[in-house]
Amino acid sequence: MDDKSGVINLEYEVIRYDFSKAGQASSEIKKVLKQLGINSNIVRKVAIATYEAEMNIAIHSLGGRIIVTITESNINISALDYGPGIENIKLAMEEGFSTAPNNIRELGFGAGMGLPNMKRCSDVFEICSKKNKGTKVDMKISLN
Amino acid sequence: MKLSAIKETLNAQVLTGEEFLDKEVYAAFGCDLMSDVLAFVKEDTVLLTGLTNPQVIRTAEMIDVFAIIFVRGKKPNSQVIDMAKERNITVMTTDYILYNACGKLYEKGLQGLDIKGVQVNG
Ligand SMILES: Nc1ncnc2c1ncn2[C@@H]1O[C@H](COP(=O)(O)OP(=O)(O)OP(=O)(O)O)[C@@H](O)[C@H]1O
Ligand SMILES: [Mg+2]
């Protein structure tokens, strides 16, 4: 969707445990940013942030969405899901903390580095979560 | 180090991307944790791993890694090889274990990545 104000909106559904598709949204987002000629350092940050967010939704949630809005000055990423929420956000943000079960660790996930990676890649990072409701991660990456 | 030299050093079999063996990498990273790969790997780095699932290719794609070596004789399925092919990623497999594969490349002068220590809380 590309409206007149020059703002581009991208939106993708992320399905729980669909590991053959998980990563596709991030891959498409990356392609769009490259096509727009956005600086490769910024593309890299967005790619890492969206991919970690997408994998978290696929692994830890019941499913959700990734929404990317590109304006003249910023790239805004929202990753939201339909539950089950994070009980202790402070703990979840710590490097090395993970509740990933063995079958997920066998895929190469569960280092407990995803949320810290997302934070590191973004200029503004906000996470809110409600137990039994869902989680929303908002990230802003400045284009300047 | 050229990918062709890596192939030779590791006695590796190229599964896809034979046409890119002239490309050069300046560092190597051996790891089975994808978030650590995303956190630490810079461009022009070869990734050595024992994991062969689609997420390895996706992870490489996100950070523009164009060469992956599967260790311990692991071979991904054809779907994963096709994913790599579509993304112009060279994929090889070697019979060496991760430790020996890294050691052999290091011996030939290929450096590891310089990273700041990871803080583990708790
Ligand atoms: N969308 C989510 N819904 C519910 N819980 C989540 C969600 N995202 C993260 N978590 C919780 O926070 C923990 C830490 O997340 P983080 O992404 O940092 O690490 P990880 O996913 O476990 O491992 P890695 O990202 O390194 O592969 C997770 O193990 C999980 O318990
Ligand atoms: Mg994660």
Side-chain angles (χ1 to χ4, degrees):
Chain A
M1 198 166 68
D2 197 350
D3 73 22
K4 285 200 186 75
S5 62
V7 174
I8 297 172
N9 283 303
L10 307 166
E11 188 162 345
Y12 303 89
E13 183 86 33
V14 182
I15 296 159
R16 181 189 204 192
Y17 297 155
D18 187 354
F19 294 114
S20 63
K21 293 240 179 65
Q24 214 162 42
S26 309
S27 174
E28 276 168 34
I29 293 162
K30 189 180 179 196
K31 267 183 219 141
V32 172
L33 298 185
K34 271 186 163 170
Q35 273 164 8
L36 290 171
I38 288 168
N39 168 291
S40 63
N41 254 329
I42 291 170
V43 173
R44 182 190 164 87
K45 285 192 207 168
V46 176
I48 293 173
T50 54
Y51 185 64
E52 292 282 18
E54 188 175 0
M55 291 314 299
N56 274 2
I57 294 175
I59 291 169
H60 304 295
S61 88
L62 303 170
R65 309 184 77 75
I66 305 253
I67 301 160
V68 176
T69 309
I70 307 162
T71 71
E72 233 167 81
S73 53
N74 293 299
I75 299 176
N76 297 297
I77 305 160
S78 282
L80 47 106
D81 64 56
Y82 319 126
I86 299 175
E87 199 149 12
N88 185 338
I89 291 178
K90 191 169 171 282
L91 193 60
M93 286 303 301
E94 285 184 3
E95 290 189 355
F97 176 83
S98 175
T99 59
N102 273 337
N103 63 319
I104 297 297
R105 287 176 196 262
E106 279 161 17
L107 289 174
F109 294 89
M113 289 295 287
L115 288 170
N117 273 356
M118 288 183 235
K119 188 172 181 191
R120 206 171 33 83
C121 285
S122 41
D123 295 309
V124 180
F125 176 92
E126 272 168 32
I127 175 168
C128 41
S129 188
K130 237 191 172 139
K131 190 80 189 142
N132 297 321
K133 268 262 168 77
T135 301
K136 186 163 182 267
V137 181
D138 286 300
M139 294 171 276
K140 182 183 273 192
I141 294 169
S142 169
L143 283 170
N144 314 298
Chain B
M1 191 175 201
K2 279 202 175 170
L3 297 185
S4 53
I6 291 177
K7 177 191 177 207
E8 204 168 302
T9 305
L10 299 180
N11 216 346
Q13 180 195 346
V14 179
L15 302 174
T16 182
E18 185 94 46
E19 65 270 41
F20 306 120
L21 289 184
D22 256 355
K23 282 196 189 171
E24 205 159 342
V25 291
Y26 298 93
F29 194 70
C31 188
D32 285 351
L33 291 169
M34 292 303 116
S35 283
D36 275 359
V37 174
L38 291 168
F40 301 126
V41 172
K42 315 223 162 55
E43 276 166 64
D44 302 330
T45 300
V46 59
L47 173 65
L48 294 98
T49 181
L51 293 178
T52 57
N53 61 60
Q55 259 61 54
V56 176
I57 310 294
R58 296 267 188 216
T59 301
E61 176 189 3
M62 290 307 141
I63 50 176
D64 298 315
V65 161
F66 55 77
I68 304 171
I69 318 287
F70 294 118
V71 296
R72 303 192 287 278
K74 302 227 174 189
K75 271 189 199 168
N77 63 30
S78 61
Q79 181 216 342
V80 172
I81 295 175
D82 287 346
M83 276 180 78
K85 197 188 182 87
E86 277 167 34
R87 291 162 177 79
N88 292 337
I89 295 173
T90 298
V91 169
M92 305 183 212
T93 179
T94 175
D95 283 340
Y96 290 116
I97 61 168
L98 181 60
Y99 181 79
N100 288 356
C102 294
K104 286 192 178 281
L105 295 179
Y106 195 85
E107 208 175 53
K108 286 274 166 78
L110 187 62
Q111 299 285 309
L113 287 173
D114 230 352
I115 63 163
K116 278 187 252 146
V118 183
Q119 239 181 304
V120 178
N121 304 295

